[in-house]
Amino acid sequence: MSFKIQWRCQQGTRTHDNRDCAGVGIRDESILAIMLDGSTTGLASGPFAREIARGLVDWFATDTAEVTELVLLERLRVMQEDLSRDFGGASASYVLVHAGPEKTALVLHAGDCLVGRHDSDAQVHWLLRPHTLANALAPVAIDILAKDETRHVLTRSFRSRRFVVPDVGAVELDDRPLLLATDGFWAELDSERQTAFIDGGWQASERDRDDRSVLCISRSGARNVIEAPDTHGPTSLYIREASA
């Protein structure tokens, strides 16, 4: 089983560094992908997010144990304890997807990174709901949520100070692109600009903008295909394949 992976990322203007990042590990017929968005508060949240991505991918690419919900939760718990010593006060939203040969993929998420489907109608249909103050008490449509300033207050995230249990779910991973996205993508771009961004034809021009990123994953043919143009910077995407 092979996979097609496409990465799009543009740095925003609200922090001096790009705090969006992603990690992809490939092992035999399975894939583990994580998208993270480091908090704009806390100077170390960008490096914190990158350490999570790299550590999780390295573990996946070098371990041979079966990956289950409980295994992933324990791995995240161990990583949080280890990183807490060096990244006090840092935090990041994340969404993690693990898929094997089966069509159904496991999803863990905490914060405002989302998973969506880019279907034939050129619209992105979001399959998760973010953990924010704006929708903490009742569901809110994504287009309305995007305009609510209280969505920036997160009710869950990966935090250096304590472990927060993520939501766990499942999605289908097939030959249709599955999107892992930060809120700079799903909340600040309309559907037309989202499609242009995925296709590589949208360049940010707003003076006030968030980092925006999307990782597109689908099942592929005979070999893995990775598309990651240099616009993302050298540290925002980490990919590792297990040794044969």
Side-chain angles (χ1 to χ4, degrees):
M1 179 63 65
S2 299
F3 302 93
K4 181 178 180 181
I5 301 159
Q6 182 188 65
W7 174 239
R8 300 280 189 245
C9 181
Q10 291 177 352
Q11 184 172 345
T13 62
R14 295 171 188 166
T15 56
H16 71 279
D17 59 335
N18 178 13
R19 300 189 179 186
D20 286 359
C21 65
V24 177
I26 300 172
R27 183 210 294 179
D28 297 326
E29 295 185 322
S30 62
I31 188 172
L32 182 145
I34 184 168
M35 169 72 82
L36 296 114
D37 180 356
S39 171
T40 54
T41 60
L43 294 177
S45 290
F48 179 65
R50 292 189 287 272
E51 282 294 320
I52 296 168
R54 181 176 288 269
L56 192 65
V57 168
D58 284 345
W59 162 78
F60 179 75
T62 57
D63 202 297
T64 58
E66 180 185 3
V67 177
T68 65
E69 173 187 336
L70 292 179
V71 167
L72 285 175
L73 287 171
E74 181 58 23
R75 174 48 45 183
L76 293 171
R77 192 185 304 275
V78 169
M79 291 179 62
Q80 183 276 330
E81 183 177 351
D82 290 344
L83 292 172
S84 66
R85 304 184 184 101
D86 299 317
F87 292 96
S91 64
S93 294
Y94 72 93
V95 61
L96 185 162
V97 174
H98 172 261
E102 306 83 11
K103 192 174 182 181
T104 302
L106 180 65
V107 178
L108 284 69
H109 79 111
D112 57 10
C113 292
L114 297 183
V115 168
R117 178 87 62 196
H118 197 218
D119 283 330
S120 56
D121 61 1
Q123 299 287 319
V124 178
H125 301 276
W126 299 107
L127 307 177
L128 305 177
R129 288 292 178 266
H131 301 118
T132 81
L133 184 62
N135 62 327
L137 299 180
V140 178
I142 288 293
D143 57 340
I144 297 175
L145 188 66
K147 299 177 178 64
D148 192 326
E149 285 299 313
T150 61
R151 72 172 179 81
H152 296 291
V153 181
L154 303 182
T155 56
R156 295 194 202 187
S157 61
F158 195 116
R159 300 170 186 172
S160 61
R161 289 178 175 157
R162 65 182 178 90
F163 181 71
V164 178
V165 178
D167 270 349
V168 180
V171 297
E172 300 299 308
L173 179 60
D174 48 34
D175 59 355
R176 298 172 298 164
L178 193 67
L179 276 54
L180 284 63
T182 61
D183 67 322
F185 177 86
W186 65 260
E188 294 193 358
L189 298 180
D190 58 27
S191 58
E192 182 178 350
R193 290 189 294 168
Q194 287 175 356
T195 298
F197 188 85
I198 293 169
D199 292 339
W202 173 258
Q203 296 297 319
S205 58
E206 312 96 312
R207 291 187 177 182
D208 178 35
R209 63 181 185 273
D210 197 0
D211 304 328
R212 57 185 54 143
S213 305
V214 60
L215 183 71
C216 306
I217 303 173
S218 58
R219 297 193 189 271
S220 183
R223 63 184 182 88
N224 293 319
V225 178
I226 300 172
E227 180 186 340
D230 290 336
T231 55
H232 59 73
T235 60
S236 66
L237 177 64
Y238 180 65
I239 298 178
R240 181 170 179 178
E241 294 191 48
S243 301

